Amino acid sequence: MKQRVTYLVKNPEEFTPEQLGIGKDLSGPFFYLDNVDAAKEHRITLGLDELPNEISKLLQQWHELHLRWTSSTPYKSTPPFTSRVSPGLHIFFTPLSDTPEDALCSFLRLLVSTDTEWDPKCETISTSSSKMPILSERFSMSATSQYYSYVGSIKRLKHSFYDTVCKSVETGDRCRDAVNDFFESDYIDVDYDTISRSVVLTSGRAQAPEEDKSWKETIKLPSKDATVEIGVLTLEGNADPEDIQFGGFLTVLGQDEKPKPTRFQTPTRHYPLLLASSNPTAQPKLHPLTYSTSFSQPTGLHPTLTLTFPAHLLNPPDRSCKLHTHLTLPSYLFIDKYQFSDPLFLSDKNLIRLRSLSGATDLEAPDWAVGPWGSAALFQLGVPVPEKIEYPDVDLGAGEDGNKNVWEDLPTHRAIPEGVDWNVSIPLHLRYMPAGPSSHARVPVPWPVVFWACRAESGAQHTSNPFDRKHLGYEGLFGPKTRFMHVQPEVRRNQTTTTTTTTGGGGELVEWIDVPVLDTRGAGWIEGGTVGVVMVAFLGLCWVLFGRSGREGGGDEKKKKKKKKKKKKQ
């Protein structure tokens, strides 16, 4: 087992080396932190032989398997942990030639064995997953298939993991502590591939637990043969626009007697969005640009998703940068790609183009007839263009000043005032939902991710970054020389750091919309009324057919008797 624990200090001016230390007790060496305000990433690497047999067998059914879960609770990213996916559970995978069709669903059922609220839409690999769109086969880092299900909170799955993972008596307590730590995270990654035959578990937390505000931790060696590396780092200024630089302290627990100072820089695929500075070596500061997501009300069956930005901050960080958003839409929502072929329509919505659409794209099928989990879409967004200032021509006459522009020291464009919003609208469509015991079904729509996609000359070196995060669902839609600068979602005032449930509510990176459905509560009256109407119609038909013919038959008999009497008299 190998562990790597990284702390990224948020306020370097408040941090001192005296807050770190190494000690030793009867159980062995330990590392401690005292009131360190930082983001934390915990990475554990395990071999297949270190996992329970049931999990090991499930993983060996795949060529590669990548799980990405992100909480619906908003959090502020700290570089280099800036990459994002939409809230929920994303699974990217490449099956082997002999992978069973039910392997994906079996894996999901193992995860949710004790969860009665979450019902993943999964039948087989071929019907429930979607193929990943790939721009370049040669340079692609993407798996071949994708699956998604909205899971806003995973705390209720904790006990299921206790029973599945922490079966060993010897490691039970340590395992449960690790599971507790992971299940308090803002995001969790699980990576497996058949080449390395190892599993990498990564969890990230934007800050210490709410009651502590800063980290007070003691880290011990879980076993004699385990390796634990601990880094306490700060982001530093760097003149290279494609590298990020860190300084701080590194410790290999059990080998180092004190934290060792370090400084290094590395190329990065997910570069932090920073404020421009005339001094590139100064302490970098994050850009204040944020975005929010909402739906125009009432949503109806054709909801419009709106992304809102502060217009005066929406400036490309580089001339090569283009603003994009990546949407993850469950099966009850879909996009009509034919709408986005009209330039006037795109301009009205502040869109440039629909770059990619994959998954369930049928325009007429109801939700219960759609097999795949849903669809994913990538849009390039428009940005506000400052108005150009037209200065009047001034004739300075003949001489040296005759060709001089008197306005050259003045601004060429009007600044966009603060307080003005820039809205981007994306029309969506709802499928017909199955009938239920209410007039509306409440369904979640996760916030999309927003990022600048910029050209990177050092794209081939991104894999050397120890914090590199791949398999997010959209890297394969860009070339290898691309770096992503993510825009942070807006943390609203009513948003808290407590984890919410899947029932909805404020303070989440998910919107909840009400979809009209057939109300089955009146089904009994409808059934009884239908039977009654049919019976009345049947009786009425019988009366018309048999009652009238009976009367007509009786009249004929009377006529015959009268005729016989007349003949006798004659």
Side-chain angles (χ1 to χ4, degrees), residues 478-489:
F478 298 88
K481 291 188 175 182
T482 305
R483 60 188 174 117
F484 304 94
M485 305 174 75
H486 290 260
V487 180
Q488 300 225 33

Side-chain angles (χ1 to χ4, degrees), residues 93-218:
F93 60 91
T94 301
L96 296 169
S97 58
D98 58 348
T99 300
E101 274 291 310
D102 65 343
L104 176 64
C105 304
S106 299
F107 185 75
L108 288 173
R109 293 188 189 100
L110 176 66
L111 293 179
V112 300
S113 58
T114 60
D115 188 356
T116 57
E117 295 183 22
W118 181 34
D119 182 20
K121 183 177 183 177
C122 186
E123 294 181 1
T124 64
I125 293 176
S126 57
T127 60
S128 300
S129 64
S130 62
K131 293 296 181 181
M132 295 283 294
I134 297 174
L135 176 67
S136 171
E137 291 283 352
R138 179 181 177 187
F139 296 105
S140 173
M141 302 164 295
S142 299
T144 60
S145 302
Q146 175 183 5
Y147 176 85
Y148 171 82
S149 181
Y150 175 73
V151 184
S153 171
I154 58 173
K155 284 189 174 182
R156 60 183 182 274
L157 305 179
K158 186 187 302 183
H159 296 289
S160 174
F161 271 74
Y162 287 161
D163 299 336
T164 305
V165 179
C166 304
K167 294 181 178 180
S168 172
V169 177
E170 298 178 357
T171 62
D173 292 338
R174 293 197 303 269
C175 179
R176 279 187 283 271
D177 290 341
V179 170
N180 284 332
D181 184 61
F182 266 65
F183 275 75
E184 295 293 332
S185 303
D186 296 309
Y187 66 86
I188 294 176
D189 295 349
V190 180
D191 296 280
Y192 167 79
D193 66 85
T194 190
I195 298 175
S196 66
R197 295 183 63 81
S198 62
V199 180
V200 180
L201 310 174
T202 306
S203 68
R205 299 181 68 172
Q207 63 183 39
E210 180 67 18
E211 61 271 12
D212 294 331
K213 300 291 185 180
S214 58
W215 294 101
K216 296 181 181 179
E217 286 196 316
T218 300

Side-chain angles (χ1 to χ4, degrees), residues 404-461:
K404 183 179 180 181
N405 182 4
V406 296
W407 314 112
E408 62 182 359
D409 295 330
L410 297 178
T412 58
H413 293 79
R414 301 184 191 277
I416 299 175
E418 295 186 20
V420 177
D421 289 335
W422 178 258
N423 295 320
V424 178
S425 301
I426 302 177
L428 306 176
H429 307 277
L430 282 164
R431 301 185 187 277
Y432 291 114
M433 301 281 290
S438 63
S439 60
H440 290 78
R442 191 165 174 79
V443 296
V445 183
W447 281 29
V449 293
V450 178
F451 53 86
W452 297 97
C454 311
R455 180 171 177 79
E457 297 298 334
S458 59
Q461 303 174 21

Side-chain angles (χ1 to χ4, degrees), residues 225-290:
D225 57 346
T227 301
V228 179
E229 299 176 355
I230 304 162
V232 182
L233 307 173
T234 60
L235 180 66
E236 297 182 345
N238 180 33
D240 192 327
E242 296 188 13
D243 286 9
I244 51 175
Q245 181 170 306
F246 300 96
F249 299 88
L250 296 179
T251 302
V252 179
L253 197 55
Q255 298 181 18
D256 298 330
E257 296 181 355
K258 62 179 181 179
K260 293 182 177 180
T262 186
R263 175 174 282 113
F264 64 94
Q265 69 180 58
T266 177
T268 180
R269 191 187 323 273
H270 299 278
Y271 196 87
L273 184 59
L274 304 174
L275 279 173
S277 174
S278 57
N279 181 10
T281 60
Q283 182 65 38
K285 295 183 179 180
L286 291 178
H287 199 284
L289 176 64
T290 60

